[in-house]
Amino acid sequence: QEYTRKCGFKSFTIALSGGMDSGLVLTLAKLSLSKGQTLEALYMPSQYSADLSTQLSQELCDQLEIPLTILPISELHDSVRKHFTRFYQSPLAGLSDENIQRRLRGELLYARSNQNGSIVINTSNKSELAVGYSTLYGDSVGAFSLLGDLYKSEVYDLANYIHQTKGLIPRG
């Protein structure tokens, strides 16, 4: 709150994946909102996204009474693939292809942030950052990282505590 107050932010945008990290970040943000502040969640599925991820994201937003925008990225991803193949005569594959999805999501988050004046909150944790599991300009997108000092085991501990004390964070 101190950081956002000093910077003048009153709205927050968080990308949901259906996973623990983004669910915990959204819950923590909701619990710490001050009067006059708003929070929104974006879920950006691709052709690889599981139905369970969509379901868990929607359930959490319903429970927290936070608007969820579902913004599919499949068409954008296909367009980047075609463009890349056209100019390099070689298709995107493996990690290159996977990271394009993450970076598309990052672009859409920052576009939304610029559009509505919100601050994007990062969903990476210390374990992911330490082993390079977080994609630069993708998963690591955000001006503030609520979980940046927590190891993955601590993320689960905190989520369990919030679930036990407040009944939040659906079990998936």
Side-chain angles (χ1 to χ4, degrees):
Q1 282 296 342
E2 181 181 346
Y3 173 77
T4 58
R5 216 175 1 262
K6 285 180 181 178
C7 295
F9 288 104
K10 293 190 183 335
S11 60
F12 308 91
T13 301
I14 297 171
L16 281 185
S17 66
M20 180 58 70
D21 295 319
S22 65
L24 179 59
V25 168
L26 188 70
T27 303
L28 290 171
K30 174 66 177 191
L31 292 172
S32 66
L33 280 182
S34 294
K35 186 176 179 169
Q37 292 180 329
T38 60
L39 176 61
E40 72 173 339
L42 271 65
Y43 176 69
M44 296 170 276
S46 73
Q47 60 268 33
Y48 303 114
S49 299
D51 290 340
L52 180 60
S53 296
T54 307
Q55 178 187 335
L56 291 171
S57 295
Q58 187 65 62
E59 284 178 18
L60 182 60
C61 286
D62 289 347
Q63 185 177 34
L64 295 174
E65 298 178 344
I66 296 169
L68 175 66
T69 300
I70 298 176
L71 192 60
I73 64 163
S74 296
E75 288 179 26
L76 291 172
H77 189 194
D78 287 343
S79 179
V80 170
R81 280 186 181 135
K82 289 174 188 170
H83 192 72
F84 188 90
T85 302
R86 179 176 158 215
F87 286 94
Y88 289 106
Q89 288 75 49
S90 174
L92 279 171
L95 186 60
S96 298
D97 191 44
E98 291 174 33
N99 283 340
I100 289 296
Q101 294 177 88
R102 293 178 180 118
R103 290 184 175 114
L104 287 169
R105 289 179 177 119
E107 289 292 330
L108 292 170
L109 280 168
Y110 278 135
R112 181 62 176 156
S113 170
N114 290 154
Q115 183 183 51
N116 70 359
S118 66
I119 185 173
V120 177
I121 300 177
N122 176 311
T123 61
S124 291
N125 63 64
K126 193 173 189 172
S127 297
E128 290 175 351
L129 294 170
V131 299
Y133 187 72
S134 180
T135 303
L136 189 61
Y137 310 119
D139 304 14
S140 64
V141 163
F144 191 76
S145 180
L146 287 178
L147 306 181
D149 290 328
L150 297 180
Y151 291 107
K152 189 70 168 191
S153 59
E154 295 170 316
V155 167
Y156 279 103
D157 291 344
L158 181 56
N160 285 330
Y161 174 79
I162 291 172
H163 181 74
Q164 291 170 358
T165 59
K166 301 214 178 272
L168 301 174
I169 307 179
R171 302 286 182 176

